[in-house]
Amino acid sequence: MFEDVHPWMIPLTFFYMIIIPIGVFSNLIMIICFFINPRLRSPFHILLTLTCLADGIHVCGQIVFVVQLLTNTYSYQSTCYFLNFFPVIGLTIAAPLLMEIGLDRLLAVSFPIKYREFQFQKVLYTSIHLVFPILYTSSILYLGFMERNNELVKCAIPTALAGVSFKVFTLSSHVIYVSIILAYLMTAVLLKFHDTSSRFKAVFKSIGVTVGIVLFGWAITTVSNTFGYFVTDDFEIFNLIQMYSGITVNIAISSNLLIFYTINPEYQMTVKMLLDGSFGKLPTFTDSASELQNLRKNTKSQDS
C-alpha cells in the first residue's frame, strides 16, 4: 500500500484519521450551540461561529490527502486546487476572522456605549467585520487559481496552493497574527482597569485561550513554511515540512469545543442542555452589549 510513499508520510495518515472526526465534531457542536441558544446571537458570536465553520471545513481538507495515501494515488495540482477549494477557504479566512473578533472585543472595552449602539445594527456591523476576511481570502483563491499546473502531487491543503499564492498566504499571515496579538493584548490591558461582568470576562478568557493555542500552532506552521524554502530544494521534502508543521494547527482548530466548554459557562450550559435534550428551556435572548454599560462606570460617555 505504501511502497511508493515516503515513509514519513505514513504517520501523518494515522494522525489525520484521528483528528478529522474530532475536528468536525468539535466545530459542529459549536455551530449547533449558536443556533439553539438565543443568547449566542450577538455579532461577536456570529464571528466566532463563522470561525468554527471555517475550522471545521479546514480540517476536512485532509480527507483527500488520507484517501490518496491509503490508495497510493496522485492528482494534478490543478485538480487538487478544486478538490480542496472549500478547505482552502477555511484555511485562509480563519485568521482574519480571529483578528476581527479581537477588534470587536477591543471596541467593546474601549467604547462600550458606542459598541452597544452598534449591536442594534447587527447586520451592518457584522458585515463590516467580514469585508477584510472575504477580500483577503478571495485574493489568495484568485492567485491560487491563476497558478494551477499539471504537476502530480499528493493532494493536501498546502499543495492546493502553488508557488506565489502559498508564499503570499504564508508571509501575509505573519502580519495578521501580529495584528491579532496586539488587539488581544490591548483588550487584556484595558480589562485590567475596568470593572467588567463575569460573563464578559469568561467570553474574553475562552476566546483568548483559543487564540493563544491557534497562534502557537500557526506560528510553528508559518515559520516552518517560510524557512522551508531555504532549507531544501527537494519538493517532496518541502511538502513533508509543510504537512508536519500543520499538525499543531489541526490540533488547535479541533480544540474549540474543549476550550469553550471548559472556560465559558454559556457554552457549557448549552452543551449540557443539548445532551439532555432540554435546550428548549434556554432563556430568551439578552444582548450581551447591555452588560457593556458597566465597563466604564467612572468614565464619561463618548457622547458627552
Side-chain angles (χ1 to χ4, degrees):
M1 181 184 298
F2 297 109
E3 292 81 3
D4 299 325
V5 177
H6 195 287
W8 281 101
M9 282 286 192
I10 299 174
L12 280 173
T13 306
F14 296 101
F15 167 76
Y16 284 120
M17 288 176 68
I18 296 172
I19 204 65
I20 290 171
I22 293 175
V24 171
F25 175 79
S26 172
N27 289 290
L28 180 61
I29 295 298
M30 289 291 291
I31 294 171
I32 292 175
C33 286
F34 169 79
F35 283 104
I36 67 173
N37 188 346
R39 292 173 65 92
L40 304 179
R41 305 285 173 79
S42 67
F44 162 76
H45 287 101
I46 293 174
L47 293 172
L48 177 61
T49 302
L50 288 174
T51 303
C52 291
L53 176 62
D55 289 343
I57 296 175
H58 175 186
V59 77
C60 287
Q62 312 303 340
I63 295 176
V64 179
F65 171 73
V66 170
V67 170
Q68 289 195 349
L69 275 179
L70 292 176
T71 58
N72 195 24
T73 55
Y74 294 82
S75 63
Y76 291 118
Q77 191 280 327
S78 57
T79 303
C80 183
Y81 172 86
F82 290 109
L83 288 175
N84 274 334
F85 181 81
F86 290 106
V88 168
I89 292 178
L91 165 73
T92 53
I93 202 171
L97 283 173
L98 285 177
M99 185 183 73
E100 296 298 332
I101 290 174
L103 294 175
D104 172 83
R105 298 294 84 187
L106 181 59
L107 180 62
V109 178
S110 303
F111 307 100
I113 305 301
K114 182 62 67 175
Y115 183 81
R116 183 168 181 264
E117 294 176 2
F118 290 153
Q119 304 310 290
F120 294 103
Q121 300 178 349
K122 186 185 302 184
V123 174
L124 176 61
Y125 177 78
T126 306
S127 299
I128 292 173
H129 275 291
L130 292 177
V131 171
F132 173 70
I134 291 174
L135 290 178
Y136 174 79
T137 301
S138 299
S139 300
I140 300 298
L141 287 173
Y142 175 76
L143 288 175
F145 179 82
M146 297 303 294
E147 289 188 304
R148 291 169 300 132
N149 59 67
N150 291 326
E151 182 177 3
L152 286 175
V153 297
K154 288 290 185 186
C155 186
I157 293 179
T159 54
L161 297 175
V164 174
S165 58
F166 192 78
K167 290 181 181 179
V168 170
F169 164 70
T170 300
L171 296 176
S172 60
S173 294
H174 292 299
V175 178
I176 295 175
Y177 301 145
V178 170
S179 301
I180 292 173
I181 293 172
L182 291 176
Y184 282 89
L185 281 178
M186 291 174 65
T187 304
V189 170
L190 288 173
L191 283 175
K192 292 288 185 181
F193 297 98
H194 299 297
D195 182 21
T196 61
S197 69
S198 57
R199 183 185 174 196
F200 189 92
K201 288 181 178 178
V203 169
F204 181 76
K205 183 179 180 181
S206 51
I207 190 62
V209 172
T210 301
V211 168
I213 295 175
V214 170
L215 285 179
F216 174 77
W218 276 116
I220 294 177
T221 300
T222 53
V223 169
S224 300
N225 289 335
T226 300
F227 286 97
Y229 290 104
F230 305 101
V231 172
T232 179
D233 293 327
D234 188 319
F235 178 78
E236 187 175 23
I237 298 300
F238 178 66
N239 190 30
L240 273 172
I241 294 174
Q242 289 179 316
M243 295 302 299
Y244 269 93
S245 65
I247 288 178
T248 52
V249 171
N250 281 274
I251 293 175
I253 64 178
S254 300
S255 304
N256 291 328
L257 177 62
L258 175 63
I259 295 169
F260 276 82
Y261 182 83
T262 303
I263 300 176
N264 193 311
E266 194 74 67
Y267 279 94
Q268 188 176 97
M269 177 193 71
T270 307
V271 171
K272 287 181 178 179
M273 298 185 79
L274 176 64
L275 292 176
D276 62 24
S278 59
F279 57 85
K281 301 177 182 179
L282 285 167
T284 56
F285 174 57
T286 301
D287 200 317
S288 61
S290 61
E291 299 180 4
L292 298 174
Q293 290 179 320
N294 299 320
L295 287 176
R296 285 183 168 179
K297 291 183 177 179
N298 299 321
T299 305
K300 294 181 179 179
S301 169
Q302 282 77 22
D303 296 331
S304 61

